[in-house]
Amino acid sequence: MKRKLLRQISNEWRANTWLSLELLIVSVVLWYLVDLFYVNISVFNEPRGFNTENCYLINQRELSPKSPEYKEYEDGGAERDDFQKLFEALRNRPDVEAVEAGYNAFFYNGSNSGGPVRHETLDIPNDGRYIVHRRVTADFPIVFRLRGSLGESSEELAKILHEKQRGCFLASANLLGDESRAGELRDHIGEVFDVSGDSLVLAGVYQTARYADFYPGYSSPSIIIPRAPRHTSNGELVVRVKEKMDDGHFDELLMKEADNYRFGNFYIASVKPFTEIRNNFQRNTVKGLTQMAIASLFLALNIFLGILGTFWFRTRQRMSEIALRMACGASRTSVFRRIVSEGEVLLLLVTPVAIVCDWLLTKYQMNTWHNGGYFVAPRFVACVVITWALVSLMIFLGSLFPARRAMHVAPAVALKDE
C-alpha cells in the first residue's frame, strides 16, 4: 500500500506540490511560534531565586512642611532616629518575621539602581557595567528568602551582612555571566572589587535572583550592599509576615493601626501585598503573551480549516476512484487509511526542508535568544518535534471528516455517471 500511495502522490505531483508548499509554510510559521512560547515558558519556569509570598511593601511618607503637625529637624541625626523608630516598631510586631529597608531594591518594581562592578583579574561580561545594586539592610535575604550558592540559608546570608555591615557586598552567582562560573567567583571571596568607584570586599555569593518571572536568570546579575536603615526619596520598607500568622489581610490590619506608627514626620501611607505588585508589574507582559496565544490559536484554526477544505475538495474529486476501489474489494478501513495517510506522507516529505528553514532562522538570529544562543540543540529538537506533532494532528483532523465520508460512499451511486 505504501508503494501505491507514493506512486499516486508522484502521479499527482502538480496538486501535491502546492499542498506541500502550504505544509512547508505552515510548519515554519508554527515552529517560530512554538519556539517563542517555548522560551517564555522555560523562562517562567526557571527558579526565581527569591520568594515574595507573605511579603508586603510599605509606602512610608513624610509630612509636608505645610502640615500643622510637621516637625522641624535641627539636624539629620534626629530625622534618622525617627525613621529608625518606625523601622524597629515594624520589626517588633509579633506577626512580622523580618523587615528590610532599601533603595530601589525590591523585586517587581520596574526600577533599580545599578553601576559597574570590576576586578583586576576577573573577566566580568560587559565590563561589569550592567549590574543591579541592591542597597538594603541586612535582613533583605530573609525577607525575600535568598539562598547562598552553596545552599547557605537566608539567615546565614543575613548574618554575613550583619557582621560585615560596611565595606562589603554579596554577589549573585551569575555575576560572571553564567552560574557555571559561580565557583570561580567564590574563589575571590575576601578580595576587593571596584563597585561604582568604591572599594568593597566580596563577602559571599548567593543564588541568582531573577528580576521578575519573565526575565531570564542570565539577564539579572546583581549585588547586595548592606546599609543602615535610613530614609531616602526612593526608599522602601518591606516586611515578611510569619506564614502561620498571615491570613491575607495584613495590609488592612496595619492600615487600621497606622496611627501607632507615627514617628516625627514619618507615617505609613499605604501597604501593598506583593501579589498585587507582581500582577501589576507583569500585566503588560501577560497581556502580550495572551494576545499572542489567541492570535496563534486563530492562526491554527485557519490552518486547520484550510487543510480541511483542501482534503474535502480532493476527496470529492476522487469519489469515482474511491467507489471503483470499493467495488473491486477495497475495505472501508483501507480507504480511510489511504486518505489520511496521504497528508501525513506529504508532511514527512516536507519536514526535512522545514527543518532546514528553521535552522536558517536561527542562523540569521530571527528567533529568540535564550540560554546560550539562538540555536540550542535540545530546544531546537523539542520545537521541531512539537511543531511536527501539531501539524500532523491538524492534517489528521482535517482529513478525518472527508475520509469518514468517503468510507460510507455507495459505489453504485458514485459510479452512476461513469
Side-chain angles (χ1 to χ4, degrees):
M1 175 167 175
K2 294 179 181 178
R3 204 163 33 234
K4 292 180 180 178
L5 182 57
L6 290 173
R7 189 181 303 119
Q8 177 181 328
I9 290 173
S10 62
N11 289 337
E12 299 175 352
W13 65 271
R14 288 184 178 85
N16 287 329
T17 297
W18 290 109
L19 180 57
S20 299
L21 183 61
E22 177 186 349
L23 293 176
L24 174 63
I25 295 172
V26 165
S27 296
V28 174
V29 172
L30 275 182
W31 174 87
Y32 181 85
L33 293 174
V34 167
D35 182 76
L36 185 61
F37 280 109
Y38 183 93
V39 169
N40 280 283
I41 293 172
S42 297
V43 169
F44 184 81
N45 288 323
E46 285 180 12
R48 285 196 305 234
F50 64 92
N51 184 302
T52 57
E53 293 177 6
N54 310 117
C55 290
Y56 295 82
L57 175 66
I58 297 175
N59 180 17
Q60 46 80 26
R61 298 276 183 87
E62 281 189 276
L63 292 173
S64 166
K66 296 180 180 180
S67 171
E69 299 180 11
Y70 180 76
K71 175 183 177 181
E72 190 74 37
Y73 290 111
E74 295 181 0
D75 56 53
E79 184 179 22
R80 286 194 296 272
D81 288 343
D82 281 342
F83 184 78
Q84 180 74 36
K85 290 176 184 177
L86 172 59
F87 182 81
E88 292 296 335
L90 289 169
R91 186 160 66 175
N92 292 330
R93 283 181 62 98
D95 54 354
V96 168
E97 180 179 344
V99 185
E100 72 91 4
Y103 179 80
N104 275 344
F106 68 93
F107 300 92
Y108 306 118
N109 69 349
S111 178
N112 58 262
S113 302
V117 176
R118 299 187 177 94
H119 187 269
E120 292 181 356
T121 60
L122 278 176
D123 177 25
I124 303 177
N126 299 311
D127 199 25
R129 288 176 292 178
Y130 305 108
I131 310 299
V132 175
H133 291 186
R134 294 192 164 98
R135 300 179 184 274
V136 293
T137 52
D139 282 346
F140 182 87
I142 299 177
V143 171
F144 290 107
R145 293 287 192 263
L146 304 186
R147 297 189 65 85
S149 62
L150 292 178
E152 300 95 330
S153 67
S154 304
E155 288 74 15
E156 289 176 302
L157 294 178
K159 184 179 179 181
I160 293 173
L161 296 177
H162 272 295
E163 291 175 348
K164 305 288 184 180
Q165 203 52 245
R166 292 183 179 181
C168 78
F169 73 100
L170 302 180
S172 63
N174 63 339
L175 183 70
L176 303 184
D178 194 311
E179 284 202 6
S180 62
R181 297 183 65 190
E184 180 182 353
L185 182 62
R186 286 194 297 270
D187 291 340
H188 293 271
I189 290 177
E191 297 183 9
V192 176
F193 285 66
D194 180 350
V195 179
S196 297
D198 296 328
S199 296
L200 299 180
V201 176
L202 177 62
V205 180
Y206 59 92
Q207 294 176 6
T208 298
R210 297 196 283 137
Y211 197 76
D213 295 356
F214 292 99
Y215 285 72
Y218 54 76
S219 70
S220 308
S222 62
I223 62 173
I224 295 175
I225 304 172
R227 50 169 265 179
R230 62 178 182 271
H231 172 69
T232 58
S233 58
N234 291 317
E236 69 197 45
L237 279 171
V238 180
V239 300
R240 169 171 285 277
V241 180
K242 295 176 182 177
E243 187 174 350
K244 294 181 179 179
M245 302 182 71
D246 186 12
D247 59 357
H249 299 287
F250 174 81
D251 50 337
E252 299 172 9
L253 177 63
L254 186 58
M255 286 307 299
K256 289 179 182 178
E257 303 173 1
D259 289 341
N260 298 330
Y261 296 90
R262 286 280 303 275
F263 297 96
N265 293 330
F266 296 101
Y267 67 96
I268 294 176
S270 65
V271 183
K272 287 185 179 180
F274 262 82
T275 50
E276 179 182 338
I277 295 170
R278 178 191 182 197
N279 292 337
N280 289 339
F281 179 75
Q282 299 184 153
R283 179 174 287 114
N284 288 336
T285 302
V286 173
K287 182 179 178 181
L289 289 173
T290 302
Q291 291 174 341
M292 194 181 303
I294 293 172
S296 299
L297 288 174
F298 180 74
L299 175 63
L301 178 61
N302 277 274
I303 292 171
F304 166 72
L305 292 176
I307 292 174
L308 174 62
T310 299
F311 281 95
W312 193 282
F313 178 73
R314 287 163 69 94
T315 304
R316 291 279 297 176
Q317 282 187 316
R318 293 176 176 174
M319 277 302 181
S320 58
E321 175 192 335
I322 293 169
L324 185 60
R325 287 179 181 276
M326 295 181 70
C328 293
S331 65
R332 291 181 176 182
T333 304
S334 64
V335 170
F336 177 85
R337 195 164 56 242
R338 183 72 170 266
I339 295 173
V340 172
S341 299
E342 184 177 1
E344 302 292 354
V345 170
L346 288 174
L347 176 62
L348 286 175
L349 293 175
V350 303
T351 293
V353 182
I355 292 174
V356 172
C357 294
D358 299 339
W359 176 79
L360 288 174
L361 289 177
T362 64
K363 180 181 179 182
Y364 292 105
Q365 303 180 357
M366 298 178 70
N367 60 328
T368 308
W369 196 96
H370 179 61
N371 270 1
Y374 294 91
F375 176 86
V376 179
R379 163 186 158 195
F380 184 81
V381 172
C383 291
V384 166
V385 171
I386 293 171
T387 302
W388 175 84
L390 287 174
V391 179
S392 178
L393 177 62
M394 285 191 286
I395 290 174
F396 174 77
L397 295 177
S399 58
L400 181 63
F401 300 107
R404 288 182 63 85
R405 183 180 179 88
M407 283 174 61
H408 297 92
V409 67
V413 176
L415 293 171
K416 68 180 181 180
D417 296 328
E418 293 297 325

